[in-house]
Amino acid sequence: MHKPVSDDVTSLHDLSAVDLIAGYRARQFSPSEVMDDVLAHVAAWEPAIKALYLLDPDAARTAAKASTERWANDEPAGVLDGVPATVKDNIATKGQPMPLGAASVTRTPLAADAPPVARLREAGAIIFAKTTMPDYGMLSSGLSSYHPLTRNPWDLRMNPGGSSAGAGAAAAAGYGPLHVGTDIGGSIRLPASWCGLVGLKPSFGRVPIDPPYVGRVAGPMTRIVDDAALMMSVLSKPDRRDGTSLPPSDLHWKVAEKPTRKLRIGLMLDLGGVGQALEAPVRATTLAAAKAFEDAGAVVSEVRGFLTREMLDGLDNFWRARLWDDLARLAPEVRAKTLPYILQWAERGAALSGVEVVRGFNVTMTLRASAAKLFCDYDYIISPVSPGVKFPAEFASPVNDPQAPFEHITYTVPWNMSENPAISVNAGFDDDGFPIGLQIIGRRFDDVGVLGMAKTFESLRGEQRPWPKAPTA
């Protein structure tokens, strides 16, 4: 089993998915025992962090009992049979509402599971809850007009990030090993960084999703790379409902550490002044990671980022107009239920001209071309995930200004638009013990290679600090 991060005996809720499956196979413990332990741990943490939506303990125990019987008969349903998992609010689950974190959304039970949920269920995973998110996924924050405020387990005064806020908080708190988030500008990687996790934004189309949208992906949020790879072996299976998904592939998802000798790695720290200034602890942590790769034989060179102020503002305009189109269809009294920060941000979309909106959308093509050119010279790029270390739980974003909403996504959003795989992996901590992530980006479709690079970095980094402990009454 994976080495515990402390001298204490590792609790069942803290075990990786890889170790749970091994334990089930060896009859060391059962899915029912694991689910009971996870639910007890949730009960201890949830009043403090409020990461979950639609928690259903009875259904979870029933599913765990069925899984326990299958394992007793040596007939597991799939590679994740009996492993606890959560999925984000905005990933449809059959028979349940999907409020998108917003009080302005009608809560109607849905007719079918979205592809990520369908694949997890087919593999035997126990989806025992959904996780919180901000309104319409348009914040990197745990703030929502519908869900309670979600807090970061590492420091309850701080934000877990978003929009996969509950997923990040749940994974850091030990709500089982597997959590699915979505990412259109950093919404997996940012909370993964601020919560000390592994968070993979796959290549666009690698994981079928419904509904698809420009740059939008679903991906794993876990504590270790091996669990993220195991999830990808399931999530990446085909689903014809997503017309943007990649063809079925025979990728080998059981990743090994990637040899780094003579690998060409670009170190991206300088963004030319666009976005938040890079804070000293983030810079130092990223430089230390670069040196670790260099000491392992890689050729590391500094590269300048290609995102410009004009590009970031263009994306801002495009996304404002996109959300305003949805909000404008609502009755005024319903629209008013939206989080004020989001409503104030989106309302400016009404004043944009068609040319301005199209110009904003065209930024996606420019970013894609720039990324392709960069990867002519490099095998991988490493960078910070976020320019800042942390921000208050009550803030809607690190800057907390609806007229400057995306200053913190400057290292993450280019890779959504370019469709490259990118992963956040914990690289260190600030002086207060708050986690800082490293981003590793690969060429389009090199998801396995990015996971391998992250696994290599896990080894170079060494043992992580112990995970946060649940608050005591």
Side-chain angles (χ1 to χ4, degrees):
M1 292 190 177
H2 287 85
K3 185 178 179 181
V5 293
S6 75
D7 294 332
D8 299 330
V9 175
T10 303
S11 301
L12 293 177
H13 62 259
D14 277 328
L15 288 177
S16 68
V18 173
D19 287 343
L20 287 179
I21 294 298
Y24 296 158
R25 186 171 290 115
R27 290 176 165 74
Q28 294 175 323
F29 41 76
S30 71
S32 289
E33 291 173 302
V34 169
M35 198 70 249
D36 283 343
D37 193 54
V38 168
L39 291 171
H41 194 63
V42 167
W45 260 117
E46 191 59 8
I49 63 172
K50 294 180 170 54
L52 299 185
Y53 169 59
L54 296 179
L55 172 64
D56 192 341
D58 291 340
R61 290 190 177 99
T62 299
K65 181 180 177 182
S67 177
T68 296
E69 291 172 356
R70 290 192 295 270
W71 278 106
N73 294 322
D74 290 323
E75 295 176 346
V79 298
L80 298 178
D81 200 349
V83 179
T86 72
V87 295
K88 190 175 176 181
D89 166 349
N90 66 343
I91 303 174
T93 45
K94 183 178 180 179
Q96 296 178 321
M98 188 172 69
L100 304 178
S104 52
V105 172
T106 302
R107 290 173 290 286
T108 304
L110 300 175
D113 287 335
V117 175
R119 299 294 84 76
L120 288 174
R121 292 200 205 277
E122 290 165 2
I126 301 173
I127 300 174
F128 67 93
K130 301 190 76 172
T131 50
T132 61
M133 62 181 283
D135 293 45
Y136 302 99
M138 291 311 301
L139 296 177
S140 189
S141 172
L143 188 63
S144 161
S145 65
Y146 179 72
H147 299 301
L149 179 64
T150 303
R151 296 178 180 272
N152 195 312
W154 290 94
D155 184 336
L156 297 178
R157 299 168 299 176
M158 296 300 156
N159 212 296
S163 61
S164 304
Y175 290 13
L178 304 181
H179 308 271
V180 183
T182 62
D183 192 317
I184 199 171
S187 290
I188 286 173
R189 288 157 291 160
L190 288 163
S193 175
W194 289 319
C195 293
L197 305 170
V198 173
L200 174 65
K201 182 206 79 68
S203 297
F204 182 76
R206 179 68 71 201
V207 173
I209 194 168
D210 182 28
Y213 198 76
V214 177
R216 182 175 185 248
V217 300
M221 297 176 70
T222 63
R223 287 182 168 187
I224 62 170
V225 173
D226 282 346
D227 276 2
L230 179 62
M231 284 188 81
M232 285 299 295
S233 73
V234 171
L235 295 174
S236 63
K237 291 183 177 179
D239 192 303
R240 291 181 179 177
R241 289 175 289 176
D242 184 355
T244 67
S245 60
L246 298 174
S249 65
D250 57 355
L251 294 175
H252 183 64
W253 290 104
K254 190 172 183 179
V255 297
E257 293 183 20
K258 191 171 186 70
T260 53
R261 183 168 173 76
K262 295 187 178 180
L263 272 183
R264 300 169 301 168
I265 297 177
L267 170 62
M268 187 177 287
L269 291 172
D270 182 7
L271 298 183
V274 62
Q276 274 184 280
L278 187 61
E279 294 181 5
V282 180
R283 176 180 290 275
T285 299
T286 308
L287 286 171
K291 186 176 188 307
F293 278 118
E294 194 169 48
D295 290 346
V299 179
V300 180
S301 321
E302 286 204 43
V303 296
R304 185 167 177 170
F306 48 81
L307 183 72
T308 65
R309 180 80 257 168
E310 182 181 14
M311 291 177 184
L312 190 62
D313 290 345
L315 289 174
D316 186 1
N317 285 340
F318 172 54
W319 281 335
R320 286 180 199 251
R322 176 204 172 203
L323 185 57
W324 182 248
D325 178 49
D326 292 334
L327 293 177
R329 299 169 192 266
L330 302 176
E333 66 273 14
V334 176
R335 184 165 62 243
K337 296 178 182 179
T338 306
L339 193 74
Y341 180 104
I342 289 292
L343 190 57
Q344 184 181 349
W345 169 75
E347 281 176 334
R348 208 180 84 182
L352 294 168
S353 70
V355 170
E356 287 174 308
V357 175
V358 170
R359 189 177 294 138
F361 174 79
N362 285 343
V363 166
T364 64
M365 296 295 105
T366 304
L367 288 170
R368 184 166 177 167
S370 299
K373 183 177 180 181
L374 182 63
F375 275 98
C376 290
D377 298 320
Y378 295 96
D379 301 305
Y380 296 94
I381 302 296
I382 59 174
S383 80
V385 180
S386 162
V389 177
K390 55 196 172 190
F391 63 103
E394 296 78 12
F395 278 20
S397 73
V399 174
N400 206 34
D401 179 356
Q403 302 314 322
F406 300 133
E407 304 305 296
H408 61 289
I409 67 171
T410 47
Y411 287 101
T412 53
V413 72
W415 313 113
N416 292 81
M417 302 303 111
S418 68
E419 306 184 2
N420 294 65
I423 196 167
S424 174
V425 59
N426 178 252
F429 297 82
D430 73 356
D431 290 341
D432 297 323
F434 199 85
I436 298 170
L438 173 74
Q439 184 174 217
I440 304 172
I441 308 104
R443 294 190 178 100
R444 289 177 69 212
F445 315 132
D446 187 22
D447 303 72
V448 172
V450 164
L451 284 163
M453 285 290 286
K455 189 171 176 67
T456 297
F457 183 70
E458 275 184 332
S459 178
L460 295 173
R461 176 200 67 197
E463 189 175 317
Q464 193 175 353
R465 295 189 185 191
W467 293 95
K469 293 187 181 297
T472 54

